[in-house]
Amino acid sequence: SRINHLDYFLATTDSFAGNSGSGVFVGGRLAGVLVRGAPDYVPRGSCRVVNVIKNCKTVCGERITYAFHGPELDNLPRALRLVGGTDKSNGRVEIFMGSSWGTICGYHFNQRDANTICRQLGYESAINYNIIGGGTGRIWLENLECSETDTVIENCARNTSIIHQCTHADDIAVSCTSRPDIRIRLVGGTDPSNGRVEVLYHQSWGTICDDRFDLNDANVICRSLGFPSSRFFYNAIGGQGPIHLDELNCNGSESSIAECGSNGWSVNDCVHSQDIGVVCNTAIETIRLVGGIDATSGRVEVLRDNEWQSVCTDGFGLKEANVVCRQVGFLAAESYSQTNSTTTTTNNRVTNVNCVGNETMIQNCHHSFSGNCSTNRDVNVVCQVDTTRGTLRLAGGRNQLEGRVEVYFRGEWGSVCDDYFSIRSANVVCRQLGYYEAITYYTEGTGTGNIWLDDVVCTGDEASIQLCSFPGWGVHNCVHKEDVGVVCRELPQVPFRLIPVEGSDTSRGILEIFNNNNWGVVCPSNFTEDTATSICNQLGFNGHNSIFSVESLRSTNCSGNSVVGIGCNIISENLRLVGTDPTRGRLEVFHEGVWGTICDDQFTIAEANFVCSQLGFSRGYQPYIAGGGTGRIWLDDVHCAGNESNIQFCSSRGWGVHDCDHDEDVGVVCTRSGNSKTIRLIGGSGSWNGRVEVFHKNSWGTICGNQFTINDATVVCRQLGFLSASSFYMIGGGSRTIWLSNLRCNGNESSIEDCQSTNDWGVNECTHSQDIGVVCVTSEYIGSSETVRLVGGADSSSGRVEVFHNQEWGTICDDHFEDIDADVVCRQRGFYGAFRSYRVGGGLGNIWLDEVLCTGNEITIEQCGSNGWGIHDCVHVEDIGVDCISFQDTSSPHETIRLVGGEDSSSGRVEIFHNSQWGTVCAFNFDIVDATVACRQLGFTIASGFYVTNDTNVDQIIWLSNLKCVGTELSLQSCRSDGWSDRFSFISGKSENICTHSDDVFITCENPKEKN
């Protein structure tokens, strides 16, 4: 928390440079006391650059002492302790600042100061104080003047009329009253064993901050509440009032948190979004469910005298069933029933169980062991699954969004094997953990202990991974090298999105709003112009240009199934470079009518390339810290994939959200190679490929692919500063004017504007589905494909990745290998990009690379980060493979789909062309929306029906299954699915597609469009 009143910190440095006026010092370790009255000045960080304040300068031998603002204290870790006393309640006062412990001078120290110190340590007040001396290190504070209500000693340094030169003979000590009893409660949980932790201190309930909170702290809290231990802790937002404790530091053996270390009572730098919650262990090891269909159900058995005993149905009801289910780790009871007894003797059964309903253990309910069970029936329960993060976690990741998947079962955490694990299963995991969806999954392979789940198959709609299909808890044929991990995507910062309609970019589409963890559409009634403008502005656009209605392909509550669509205004010229040279300078972005800067955090060569291309240059060099900006800092932590149409579509913290000062403003240097000011490539996988756009009459527009040749592509690439063109293709996706068509370049022109054309600018009969894209050749690319190869795949576009190093071929380990790394491999091989990566195994010899980390802008895989050549902890079963996408696969959509076996061209079995062969589509989860996308791809208006063919006499591959189209896609290939099913698993020895040709889908289309 910020110090509200005006304090200053007196710093001493042994390393400085400057003059007596306005110089600076750099480096040096900070030390000193709080003083008042220095001129206004705000330092940053750990005072790496600090203005000298002339009037407060004091020479002490060879040291120079400077005064500067007290808010610097917020960046210094602080703690308080009593040392050298008879127990923790008395001793010399020591305070931790910066990176060391120091003492407090006893000059002008009084009872109020002593009371403040004791209150900060959790005691009621001070008994007495005295100068004891004997300290070492810095003397941090002196001249204190605390009030009766102060609880933080640092806030008391107010009287600075006299500055003493204290020595450690003046160190102060205090004796505090007995520590008060600490009351703790758990609030907002599902039962008394879990919830947000709240502490009663000075007659006020307050929360505990999650900074450095760990399982030791949680165990102390749970034991003080009567539970044996903690299962886990979590972020429990929603607290109110004071935040009593921060940086709690228990060793795990304490009986109360009053005995644990901390920053002191009410000393924190937290907000209530950091409140901690715990889930306490309710002795799960003393009860079990036996013989059920899964872990959520079965006969109730309790452990007594080292023997498992069943529970009689006499008097057993829903209250008792709820206690049982909570004790075994589930949310509550769904139902209970009776089953034939398996007990053979009359004295080994629990009888007459009678619970109030709030017990944490069935053993705490009234019961007996009389053996007198009148029904001679045992209790069977079915429990409700916890669909929250309570029984699931990600471990070992680089942040909270990724890591090894671990599930909690029977009191222990265990991992999940990657066999049959898919993106659908990953989505279930991420949503159960409270995230939006899964970005990817991978083989993490570092777990220990139990492997609880294997062969997990989810449809993607389950609320918990426990509801997915798997052989049983603990049933597997895996080793920990096969532990699966996931990477989740956070919930969207802006609760709106636009689903592009056909032929549009992301600035125009169907409006969806995120609510209750789901996206939903908006009905047109009462939707206003002001609302559309506000939404467009929040999405980073400049107001709206249209509101329209679209008939939804899915059922809605809207009249006529009509939903809202909006078109937003793109800020076409929202970037500039500020400096004396038009090719370099501080980068500024225009937002909400104001120019502002961009922080350099995470800004790399990839982002520099992107913004330079947006500014009309061919490419960018390494970015640098330009500084010097004023006003708003609009963006921080910017990451551009390179295929965005505007910087507002790159990921970032959000508009105006940052932790930067203007001395971190980023600058870029752009190159003028070629005459690129009027031409650019958009929507590709890198700066060297994408849709061609030309600048004419102050507006960017596309080029039609009619009669486009390699000569035309070569002129485009040379104009952009590349060597030549390797290929061109129909990419589509443009949204503005189609400026050129029917080009006739001879290949020697210096710019596309110099080429002949049969049509004038803007005169053509093309649609945006015919927009042309090109692939350019860079100098770095020449020969680079010879150092990487794909081995053992179905064709040249897929297989195990092998790299050539030290005159030998070797493999790449799959540890943390992601789609962005696969893209680099595929582009190096001359493909458009990667469809996916996967563990393939089967390699021999060297494993050359491990922990590969690419930014996506590299020309070769060798340019990516890694552990180093030959440094790994892998075996060949972890060799990575990739499937690449050819540029032909991104061409005209209608050429890659057909209907076979129908009455006419409007009906038949759906077949997709991929990897040079036709294959079918599985009907698993196929619906009318998927059928409509297929029909539109074929040139029809709508789908009138679909069904399963049940034809087993088809000798083709099944390309796609589990399609999940939104309805606005231009092709089935653009829809979400399980992926292309042409990969044979070297691990399982079988295809990953579980469909057969009896599941092939058949559709019927209507109302054919007039084709161009």
Side-chain angles (χ1 to χ4, degrees):
S1 61
R2 288 289 176 188
I3 298 176
N4 295 322
H5 54 271
L6 190 60
D7 298 335
Y8 296 89
F9 186 83
L10 190 61
T12 304
T13 179
D14 297 301
S15 173
F16 73 98
N19 55 46
S20 60
S22 58
V24 299
F25 73 78
V26 182
R29 183 175 295 277
L30 303 178
V33 297
L34 288 173
V35 299
R36 266 181 78 187
D40 190 17
Y41 161 71
V42 182
R44 185 180 179 278
S46 296
C47 232
R48 56 184 180 183
V49 178
V50 178
N51 293 329
V52 173
I53 300 171
K54 182 176 180 180
N55 295 336
C56 292
K57 179 176 170 183
T58 306
V59 176
C60 305
E62 294 183 354
R63 297 186 174 202
I64 294 182
T65 303
Y66 305 95
F68 59 95
H69 256 283
E72 176 64 37
L73 290 171
D74 296 322
N75 297 319
L76 301 179
R78 303 184 303 276
L80 196 66
R81 69 184 181 187
L82 302 181
V83 177
T86 58
D87 58 37
K88 292 182 178 180
S89 68
N90 60 85
R92 183 177 57 254
V93 182
E94 294 191 357
I95 186 169
F96 189 91
M97 286 186 178
S99 60
S100 64
W101 287 95
T103 60
I104 296 177
C105 180
Y107 281 125
H108 294 283
F109 196 89
N110 60 35
Q111 185 67 38
R112 289 190 301 273
D113 305 330
N115 287 340
T116 299
I117 288 172
C118 289
R119 282 195 297 268
Q120 186 171 345
L121 289 167
Y123 301 96
E124 291 293 339
S125 61
I127 300 173
N128 55 51
Y129 62 93
N130 63 296
I131 292 178
I132 188 175
T136 59
R138 303 288 187 181
I139 300 175
W140 281 116
L141 300 177
E142 68 171 324
N143 297 320
L144 301 175
E145 186 181 335
C146 296
S147 71
E148 294 290 352
T149 59
D150 277 323
T151 58
V152 180
I153 195 66
E154 295 97 317
N155 291 353
C156 299
R158 297 163 180 154
N159 184 358
T160 60
S161 58
I162 301 175
I163 299 180
H164 292 280
Q165 297 298 324
C166 296
T167 69
H168 280 298
D170 305 310
D171 293 339
I172 197 72
V174 301
S175 294
C176 300
T177 59
S178 298
R179 195 185 300 271
D181 290 334
I182 300 297
R183 292 178 58 190
I184 297 178
R185 68 184 182 187
L186 302 181
V187 178
T190 58
D191 61 61
S193 70
N194 63 86
R196 184 176 60 256
V197 182
E198 295 192 354
V199 183
L200 184 65
Y201 176 66
H202 282 304
Q203 289 76 51
S204 176
W205 287 100
T207 60
I208 297 177
C209 182
D210 64 0
D211 289 348
R212 299 191 181 181
F213 195 92
D214 62 18
L215 196 59
N216 285 335
D217 308 322
N219 281 333
V220 172
I221 289 170
C222 287
R223 282 201 306 272
S224 68
L225 290 168
F227 299 99
S229 62
S230 170
R231 288 170 58 190
F232 63 95
F233 56 91
Y234 63 99
N235 186 244
I237 62 175
Q240 297 179 346
I243 299 174
H244 280 325
L245 291 173
D246 186 19
E247 305 276 356
L248 193 63
N249 184 18
C250 305
N251 61 33
S253 63
E254 299 88 348
S255 60
S256 166
I257 59 170
E259 302 172 16
C260 301
S262 72
N263 278 357
W265 290 93
S266 301
V267 181
N268 66 80
D269 56 356
C270 304
V271 293
H272 279 297
S273 61
Q274 296 172 266
D275 292 340
I276 199 70
V278 300
V279 176
C280 298
N281 198 325
T282 55
I284 192 171
E285 66 277 3
T286 62
I287 190 169
R288 67 184 183 184
L289 303 181
V290 179
I293 58 174
D294 57 28
T296 66
S297 63
R299 184 178 65 255
V300 182
E301 293 187 353
V302 295
L303 187 66
R304 177 173 178 262
D305 295 334
N306 295 318
E307 180 186 14
W308 287 104
Q309 300 180 0
S310 59
V311 177
C312 175
T313 58
D314 285 356
F316 197 94
L318 187 59
K319 290 186 298 182
E320 290 72 27
N322 282 331
V323 173
V324 167
C325 287
R326 288 198 301 268
Q327 187 175 352
V328 295
F330 295 107
L331 189 63
E334 185 175 301
S335 63
Y336 67 96
S337 60
Q338 57 186 10
T339 183
N340 290 330
S341 177
T342 59
T343 303
T344 57
T345 61
T346 59
N347 62 352
N348 57 355
R349 182 182 294 163
V350 182
T351 60
N352 300 315
V353 178
N354 184 12
C355 302
V356 174
N358 60 1
E359 296 87 349
T360 58
M361 303 169 58
I362 197 73
Q363 290 89 338
N364 293 340
C365 301
H366 179 273
H367 62 276
S368 65
F369 300 100
S370 65
N372 183 18
C373 181
S374 62
T375 61
N376 200 32
R377 295 290 185 96
D378 293 336
V379 167
N380 208 70
V381 299
V382 177
C383 299
Q384 297 178 24
V385 175
D386 184 357
T387 58
T388 67
R389 63 174 63 221
T391 55
L392 188 68
R393 70 182 182 187
L394 301 182
R398 291 171 292 185
N399 54 54
Q400 64 185 17
L401 296 171
E402 67 174 70
R404 182 176 61 258
V405 181
E406 293 191 352
V407 289
Y408 191 77
F409 179 65
R410 290 188 177 171
E412 296 182 18
W413 289 98
S415 58
V416 177
C417 184
D418 63 358
D419 292 348
Y420 293 106
F421 201 88
S422 69
I423 193 65
R424 290 172 294 164
S425 305
N427 278 330
V428 172
V429 168
C430 290
R431 286 197 299 268
Q432 185 177 347
L433 288 168
Y435 301 117
Y436 176 44
E437 63 181 0
I439 298 175
T440 188
Y441 64 96
Y442 60 97
T443 302
E444 196 272 348
T446 64
T448 59
N450 295 301
I451 298 176
W452 279 133
L453 298 178
D454 186 20
D455 295 341
V456 176
V457 177
C458 305
T459 66
D461 299 321
E462 295 87 351
S464 167
I465 195 171
Q466 299 175 18
L467 299 178
C468 299
S469 170
F470 55 90
W473 290 93
V475 181
H476 67 88
N477 60 350
C478 303
V479 293
H480 278 296
K481 280 286 187 181
E482 299 172 80
D483 292 340
V484 78
V486 301
V487 180
C488 300
R489 192 189 310 278
E490 286 188 291
L491 296 173
Q493 290 184 345
V494 179
F496 311 110
R497 70 179 182 185
L498 299 181
I499 305 298
V501 294
E502 185 174 0
S504 297
D505 61 19
T506 53
S507 67
R508 176 182 170 87
I510 298 171
L511 174 63
E512 291 192 353
I513 295 179
F514 194 75
N515 186 39
N516 287 335
N517 214 31
N518 285 296
W519 288 100
V521 294
V522 178
C523 299
S525 59
N526 300 320
F527 190 82
T528 67
E529 300 279 343
D530 289 343
T531 302
T533 296
S534 175
I535 290 172
C536 286
N537 289 342
Q538 290 185 63
L539 289 170
F541 298 102
N542 185 23
H544 81 286
N545 54 47
S546 63
I547 300 174
F548 55 93
S549 296
V550 178
E551 184 177 351
S552 176
L553 297 175
R554 299 188 185 276
S555 177
T556 70
N557 294 325
C558 301
S559 176
N561 229 28
S562 181
V563 299
V564 167
I566 58 176
C568 300
N569 295 319
I570 295 177
I571 307 173
S572 58
E573 299 298 331
N574 66 335
L575 286 174
R576 69 182 183 185
L577 297 181
V578 179
T580 58
D581 185 338
T583 66
R584 65 176 294 157
R586 183 177 62 252
L587 181 62
E588 295 191 355
V589 60
F590 192 74
H591 180 65
E592 292 185 352
V594 177
W595 286 100
T597 61
I598 298 176
C599 184
D600 71 334
D601 293 347
Q602 310 300 323
F603 202 93
T604 69
I605 186 66
E607 286 70 45
N609 270 327
F610 174 77
V611 298
C612 286
S613 68
Q614 289 286 295
L615 289 164
F617 299 100
S618 58
R619 67 189 68 184
Y621 293 112
Q622 190 69 34
Y624 65 97
I625 297 177
T630 59
R632 299 299 297 267
I633 298 175
W634 275 130
L635 295 175
D636 187 16
D637 291 340
V638 174
H639 175 69
C640 302
N643 57 0
E644 298 87 354
S645 60
N646 193 282
I647 196 170
Q648 62 192 359
F649 301 123
C650 298
S651 68
S652 70
R653 287 191 174 192
W655 291 101
V657 181
H658 64 88
D659 58 357
C660 304
D661 287 336
H662 278 298
D663 58 4
E664 298 175 85
D665 293 340
V666 76
V668 297
V669 179
C670 300
T671 177
R672 287 186 178 278
S673 299
N675 181 21
S676 61
K677 194 68 177 178
T678 59
I679 195 165
R680 66 184 183 184
L681 301 182
I682 295 293
S685 56
S687 62
W688 44 275
N689 70 86
R691 181 176 62 252
V692 182
E693 294 192 356
V694 290
F695 194 72
H696 183 66
K697 289 186 177 180
N698 294 316
S699 177
W700 289 99
T702 61
I703 296 178
C704 178
N706 282 352
Q707 300 183 25
F708 198 89
T709 68
I710 194 64
N711 285 342
D712 306 324
T714 297
V715 173
V716 168
C717 289
R718 285 178 178 165
Q719 185 175 352
L720 287 165
F722 297 102
L723 294 176
S724 63
S726 64
S727 62
F728 60 93
Y729 57 103
M730 294 281 196
I731 186 174
S735 60
R736 300 177 186 173
T737 306
I738 301 174
W739 280 127
L740 295 172
S741 66
N742 300 323
L743 286 169
R744 294 181 179 178
C745 303
N746 60 35
N748 297 318
E749 295 86 351
S750 59
S751 73
I752 200 72
E753 294 91 339
D754 296 334
C755 297
Q756 297 294 315
S757 172
T758 58
N759 296 334
D760 292 331
W761 286 86
V763 179
N764 57 78
E765 297 180 354
C766 301
T767 66
H768 279 297
S769 64
Q770 298 167 276
D771 290 340
I772 200 69
V774 301
V775 183
C776 299
V777 176
T778 67
S779 58
E780 295 97 330
Y781 178 79
I782 301 298
S784 67
S785 65
E786 301 304 317
T787 62
V788 67
R789 67 184 182 186
L790 303 180
V791 178
D795 56 30
S796 61
S797 69
S798 63
R800 183 176 59 255
V801 181
E802 296 190 355
V803 289
F804 194 70
H805 177 69
N806 240 9
Q807 304 303 310
E808 293 185 23
W809 289 98
T811 61
I812 298 178
C813 183
D814 67 353
D815 291 348
H816 293 111
F817 197 92
E818 300 177 354
D819 290 345
I820 195 169
D821 310 317
D823 277 336
V824 174
V825 169
C826 289
R827 291 200 304 267
Q828 187 174 349
R829 287 298 307 159
F831 295 100
Y832 176 78
F835 183 76
R836 62 176 174 178
S837 61
Y838 50 91
R839 175 184 285 191
V840 64
L844 299 171
N846 294 301
I847 298 176
W848 276 133
L849 295 175
D850 186 19
E851 302 285 354
V852 172
L853 180 63
C854 303
T855 66
N857 194 56
E858 297 84 356
I859 300 298
T860 71
I861 195 70
E862 295 91 334
Q863 295 171 345
C864 299
S866 71
N867 283 353
W869 289 101
I871 302 174
H872 65 88
D873 57 356
C874 305
V875 292
H876 277 297
V877 73
E878 300 173 79
D879 292 340
I880 197 70
V882 299
D883 291 344
C884 299
I885 303 171
S886 67
F887 286 95
Q888 288 74 25
D889 285 340
T890 64
S891 60
S892 300
H894 66 273
E895 297 176 357
T896 58
I897 189 171
R898 68 184 182 187
L899 301 181
V900 177
E903 294 181 358
D904 53 36
S905 61
S906 66
S907 64
R909 181 177 62 252
V910 180
E911 294 190 357
I912 299 291
F913 192 72
H914 173 68
N915 267 2
S916 302
Q917 63 175 314
W918 290 97
T920 62
V921 175
C922 178
F924 180 64
N925 279 341
F926 195 91
D927 62 16
I928 194 64
V929 177
D930 307 322
T932 298
V933 171
C935 287
R936 287 177 176 169
Q937 185 178 353
L938 287 159
F940 298 94
T941 303
I942 60 171
S944 58
F946 68 94
Y947 54 92
V948 176
T949 62
N950 290 317
D951 183 2
T952 59
N953 296 319
V954 179
D955 186 21
Q956 288 178 331
I957 195 168
I958 301 173
W959 275 133
L960 295 174
S961 66
N962 194 34
L963 282 162
K964 290 185 178 179
C965 301
V966 175
T968 59
E969 297 89 351
L970 297 177
S971 69
L972 282 184
Q973 293 92 323
S974 303
C975 299
R976 290 178 58 190
S977 71
D978 284 345
W980 298 106
S981 301
D982 55 344
R983 179 162 66 88
F984 185 88
S985 173
F986 287 86
I987 304 300
S988 63
K990 52 191 174 184
S991 172
E992 291 192 339
N993 199 320
I994 60 175
C995 298
T996 66
H997 281 297
S998 61
D999 303 313
D1000 289 343
V1001 74
F1002 191 107
I1003 66 173
T1004 303
C1005 303
E1006 291 184 356
N1007 302 325
K1009 293 180 178 179
E1010 181 180 349
K1011 298 184 180 180
N1012 293 318

